[in-house]
Amino acid sequence: MKLYSTNLNAPEVSFQEALITGLAPDRGLYMPRSLPTFSKEEIDSFKDVPYPEIAYRVLSKVLEGEVDNESLKAITYDAYNYDVPLEPVDEQTYIMRLDRGPTASFKDFAARMMARLMQYYLSKENRSLTILTATSGDTGSAVADAFYGLDNIKVIVLFPTDEVSDRQRKQMTTLGKNITAISVDGKFDDCQAMVKQAFADEDLKHLNLSSANSINIGRLVPQSIYYIYAYAKLRNYPEDIVYSIPSGNFGNMMGCVLARTMGIPIKKIITSVNENDEVPTFLSTGKYHKIVPSKNCLSNAMNVGHPSNLARLITIYDGVMDEQGNISKEPDMDKLRNDIYSSSVTDEETKATIKEIFEKYNILIEPHGAVGIKGLLDFRAQSGDNTLAVSLETADPAKFPEHVKEQTGVEPALPESLKKVESKDEFMDYLGTEYPAFKKYLQEKLE
């Protein structure tokens, strides 16, 4: 696999190099030049096999020549040792629960695969690495858990002090060892901006920094697999399917785009956002404006005012957007609008959807999953399209017990993965949003 930068001013690299470096030297995001496609027969063959086997079969084609098959099979079966339920809502609607991993978040799918692939490459070359990652909620806990205890990888996680739940924070701050958590007195976008600046800082090159955010292509490739999995389990090729994806930094959405590129007949990708509505506005007007500062909503992992992965989406549609959100070449907006639907969901609508889904179907969902369901309902109301759809539940309801109980009267059961952090001591450092202070912190901690 060869990958290019969305800023189009950096050499093409291998998957290994893109995974280890994270960001291209021109500050663009890496994208695969091409991807394999899966035939009807291959997709049919996935129908009766477990998730880790599907992951292995997909990745063995995508990463052909990058990882030997024996190692790759061991990695996928180790990474995906939990269930991926497809829960029926009605005859035309399913919820794909991506919340059964060790941190009860969909981020486990990418983080666990990334950690194992990085470890595979680094061990072969006897190298070490420091992962910098910004989180608005679940990324940090999934990355911290996935990389915890690895000898040759350190992790530094930045999170906005006031915009993560107590349980999300504790999943990052109770580990120790090779995991450092930094509470930032700002927004997610401030955390993300400092991380990106550190990657581009020549003074820090010797620190061997990399990313586990969705700016890293190693996040997106594993996330494409569950779209292929859901299609294989629910549809018969070439029947269409619709996916509704709660979206913040739009990495999850890009995984779906990659799945479509690999041959899954996805009729529409619904990107449901909270009140940070820069993407629905862009699709409706053709003009992109960041939201600064981002709005603080119930679905806190989606409080993103400038999604990094929008640059990747625009590249797919023959446009160019830089890391600041400036569009130097317009994408094909007609084609983009044909393939992607984006809906903004208010906090009040989020609450009402949690209540409605519980009362009508006896199903518990949390704020992010509610945004996904509401986006799907909006799409159906506007289009009249009732194609079979899968809406993603991206976190366990127990991560947001107050909001869930307020709307349903039910206290969501706490999974074992969350119980274990409740009584542990927390350790974290504190920083503001000024990059020089963060740079000094990195130099003092890592040199």
Side-chain angles (χ1 to χ4, degrees):
M1 181 193 290
K2 290 295 182 184
L3 298 102
Y4 67 95
S5 168
T6 55
N7 282 347
L8 305 178
N9 196 29
E12 291 189 356
V13 299
S14 67
F15 176 78
Q16 176 179 345
E17 187 173 345
L19 175 71
I20 297 300
T21 57
L23 201 65
D26 64 355
R27 303 184 76 162
L29 306 184
Y30 283 118
M31 280 291 290
R33 181 61 67 189
S34 63
L35 285 167
T37 55
F38 291 87
S39 67
K40 174 189 183 300
E41 291 73 24
E42 286 175 303
I43 294 169
D44 287 345
S45 75
F46 296 158
K47 199 167 193 72
D48 297 317
V49 299
Y51 191 92
E53 180 65 22
I54 294 175
Y56 165 67
R57 294 185 192 181
V58 171
L59 291 174
S60 64
K61 286 188 72 168
V62 174
L63 302 180
E64 186 176 6
E66 294 270 359
V67 183
D68 70 87
N69 284 343
E70 184 179 352
S71 297
L72 185 59
K73 192 159 194 171
I75 285 171
T76 59
Y77 274 79
D78 182 50
Y80 301 127
N81 56 356
Y82 50 88
D83 293 334
V84 188
L86 289 160
E87 183 174 3
V89 179
D90 57 37
E91 288 186 357
Q92 292 301 108
T93 312
Y94 282 78
I95 292 174
M96 180 158 54
R97 290 202 171 269
L98 303 176
D99 56 0
R100 302 303 167 88
T103 69
S105 159
F106 83 103
K107 302 292 178 73
D108 288 322
F109 286 83
R112 288 170 68 79
M113 182 58 62
M114 272 190 76
R116 285 153 179 77
L117 288 173
M118 283 186 170
Q119 182 82 335
Y120 171 84
Y121 289 128
L122 293 171
S123 296
K124 287 179 69 173
E125 299 180 1
N126 196 27
R127 293 175 57 193
S128 61
L129 197 66
T130 296
I131 300 290
L132 298 184
T133 194
T135 184
S136 53
D138 289 325
T139 294
S141 54
V143 167
D145 182 88
F147 286 87
Y148 176 67
L150 298 186
D151 292 335
N152 53 351
I153 304 178
K154 296 178 181 176
V155 175
I156 298 175
V157 184
L158 289 77
F159 64 91
T161 303
D162 297 327
E163 294 190 20
V164 299
S165 72
D166 288 347
R167 284 174 177 159
Q168 286 173 322
R169 187 190 67 248
K170 286 178 181 179
Q171 286 182 307
M172 297 180 274
T173 60
T174 58
L175 292 172
K177 286 192 178 180
N178 61 322
I179 310 298
T180 299
I182 302 176
S183 177
V184 175
D185 185 18
K187 312 289 282 185
F188 166 76
D189 292 304
D190 298 315
C191 300
Q192 183 165 256
M194 288 196 291
V195 166
K196 285 184 176 180
Q197 195 166 347
F199 291 142
D201 193 329
E202 290 295 328
D203 293 342
L204 302 181
K205 291 295 183 188
H206 64 289
L207 298 181
N208 296 323
L209 303 177
S210 186
S211 168
N213 278 82
S214 58
I215 60 176
N216 192 314
I217 191 66
R219 279 276 300 277
L220 305 191
V221 172
Q223 286 180 287
S224 68
I225 296 165
Y226 44 72
Y227 298 104
I228 299 173
Y229 163 85
Y231 182 85
K233 299 298 180 183
L234 297 176
R235 300 303 268 166
N236 293 310
Y237 190 90
E239 296 173 11
D240 287 337
I241 195 167
V242 168
Y243 286 104
S244 185
I245 307 163
S247 300
N249 217 15
F250 280 69
N252 208 0
M253 176 273 302
M254 278 306 304
C256 194
V257 171
L258 296 185
R260 182 165 55 191
T261 302
M262 289 189 277
I264 302 302
I266 301 170
K267 185 175 185 180
K268 186 74 76 170
I269 298 174
I270 301 168
T271 56
S272 312
V273 303
N274 57 24
E275 294 175 47
N276 292 280
D277 61 352
E278 64 277 0
V279 172
T281 300
F282 169 62
L283 287 176
S284 64
T285 67
K287 305 295 182 184
Y288 179 70
H289 300 286
K290 296 185 284 188
I291 294 178
V292 182
S294 59
K295 298 174 184 177
N296 190 6
C297 301
L298 296 180
S299 48
N300 66 299
M302 296 153 57
N303 293 341
V304 182
H306 173 43
S308 291
N309 283 286
L310 190 57
R312 283 188 168 115
L313 184 66
I314 285 175
T315 294
I316 289 281
Y317 290 88
D318 300 319
V320 179
M321 171 188 270
D322 69 16
E323 67 278 3
Q324 299 299 322
N326 303 307
I327 298 176
S328 57
K329 181 186 177 187
E330 293 289 333
D332 185 335
M333 293 300 297
D334 289 340
K335 190 176 180 184
L336 187 54
R337 290 175 179 128
N338 183 67
D339 293 346
I340 309 289
Y341 172 88
S342 193
S343 174
S344 175
V345 179
T346 68
D347 278 353
E348 289 307 309
E349 290 172 323
T350 300
K351 292 177 184 178
T353 304
I354 294 172
K355 183 180 179 68
E356 177 185 352
I357 295 300
F358 179 72
E359 291 181 348
K360 286 180 76 171
Y361 305 105
N362 197 32
I363 294 174
L364 284 183
I365 57 174
E366 48 71 58
H368 305 79
V371 170
I373 288 284
K374 183 61 168 67
L376 173 60
L377 296 175
D378 288 347
F379 168 71
R380 285 175 169 169
Q382 290 184 27
S383 67
D385 189 323
N386 203 36
T387 301
L388 184 130
V390 176
S391 189
L392 275 56
E393 175 59 286
T394 56
D396 192 293
K399 282 196 166 187
F400 305 90
E402 300 88 355
H403 301 314
V404 174
K405 187 174 182 180
E406 179 186 348
Q407 301 308 317
T408 66
V410 174
E411 180 82 30
L414 198 63
E416 288 300 321
S417 58
L418 297 181
K419 285 180 185 177
K420 65 185 180 183
V421 303
E422 287 293 284
S423 60
K424 287 186 176 180
D425 293 333
E426 294 188 73
F427 307 94
M428 70 191 99
D429 293 328
Y430 300 87
L431 284 175
T433 59
E434 298 300 318
Y435 176 70
F438 179 51
K439 178 176 179 177
K440 182 180 179 183
Y441 175 92
L442 293 176
Q443 289 171 323
E444 291 177 349
K445 188 170 187 67
L446 300 176
E447 287 183 343

